[in-house]
């Protein structure tokens, strides 16, 4: 069975609770339920943290595991964190970066992602469907 880690960064624990016009009405729990229902043969490992160091620790643990792929929404850390870029770049696991909103259609400071450059690909602006498409790509 393939194992895919789904990592969500800061403030994404609030998904579905505020700003529905940008991020929709579904919660992280809905995301997990939907992926598990759509891909019953995949062992998903969900993790969310508001802390940069905790995310780096998690990626480091995954690097030592049998994880087959990472779906990563680093949230605002995408635009700021060279440390997360180094963690993803050095983990040896295919990673697809997902943004729920279209970061390129938003404020200029969201247009650049440090982590995108070390990812296999990036999906932005397709809502939670982006996580499903990323799964499809990772399971090949
Ligand atoms: O579009 C995305 O997925 C983002 O990664 C979301 C981040 C944002 O900083 C990135 O630029 C783009 C923010 C996530 C905050 O999510 C909330 C959801 C509901 C209520 C409050 C925050």
């Amino acid at each position: 069975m393939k194992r895919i880690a789904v990592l969500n960064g800061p403030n994404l624990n609030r998904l579905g609770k505020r700003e529905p016009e940008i991020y929709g009405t579904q919660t992280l729990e809905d995301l997990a339920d939907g992926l598990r229902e759509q891909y019953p043969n995949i062992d998903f490992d969900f993790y969310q943290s508001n802390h940069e160091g905790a995310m780096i620790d998690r990626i480091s643990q995954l690097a030592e595991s049998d994880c087959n792929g990472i779906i990563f929404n680093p949230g605002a850390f995408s635009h700021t964190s060279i440390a997360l870029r180094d963690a993803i770049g050095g983990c040896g696991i295919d990673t697809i970066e997902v943004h729920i909103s279209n970061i390129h259609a938003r404020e200029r400071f969201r247009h650049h992602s440090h982590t995108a450059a070390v990812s296999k690909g990036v999906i932005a602006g397709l809502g939670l469907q982006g996580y499903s498409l990323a799964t499809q790509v990772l399971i090949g």
Side-chain angles (χ1 to χ4, degrees):
M1 187 185 250
K2 286 205 170 183
R3 188 163 158 246
I4 292 182
V6 183
L7 306 184
N8 284 292
N11 297 308
L12 285 158
N13 54 313
R14 305 283 297 140
L15 201 63
K17 295 168 183 158
R18 295 285 292 275
E19 302 190 88
E21 66 288 358
I22 303 176
Y23 301 112
T25 55
Q26 290 192 295
T27 64
L28 272 192
E29 289 70 33
D30 295 332
L31 170 68
D33 290 347
L35 285 177
R36 287 190 170 122
E37 189 180 300
Q38 200 180 351
Y39 299 99
N41 297 324
I42 302 296
D43 179 13
F44 286 104
D45 176 343
F46 292 92
Y47 180 76
Q48 187 277 330
S49 177
N50 295 323
H51 304 278
E52 186 177 13
M55 304 218 70
I56 293 166
D57 288 345
R58 187 65 167 196
I59 293 162
S60 187
Q61 284 167 3
L62 290 170
E64 299 301 321
S65 76
D66 59 353
C67 177
N68 303 108
I70 298 176
I71 299 173
F72 192 23
N73 184 344
F77 288 150
S78 325
H79 320 303
T80 62
S81 179
I82 293 168
L84 274 171
R85 175 194 161 120
D86 289 346
I88 290 294
C91 75
I93 304 169
D94 273 357
T95 298
I96 300 194
E97 180 162 318
V98 171
H99 294 284
I100 298 165
S101 64
N102 181 356
I103 53 174
H104 303 289
R106 300 184 64 192
E107 302 95 326
R108 205 171 171 76
F109 63 82
R110 295 186 202 275
H111 294 184
H112 179 260
S113 165
H114 291 289
T115 37
V118 289
S119 299
K120 184 182 169 87
V122 180
I123 298 170
L126 302 182
L128 295 191
Q129 201 190 350
Y131 293 80
S132 172
L133 295 170
T135 304
Q136 222 171 290
V137 171
L138 287 171
I139 63 180

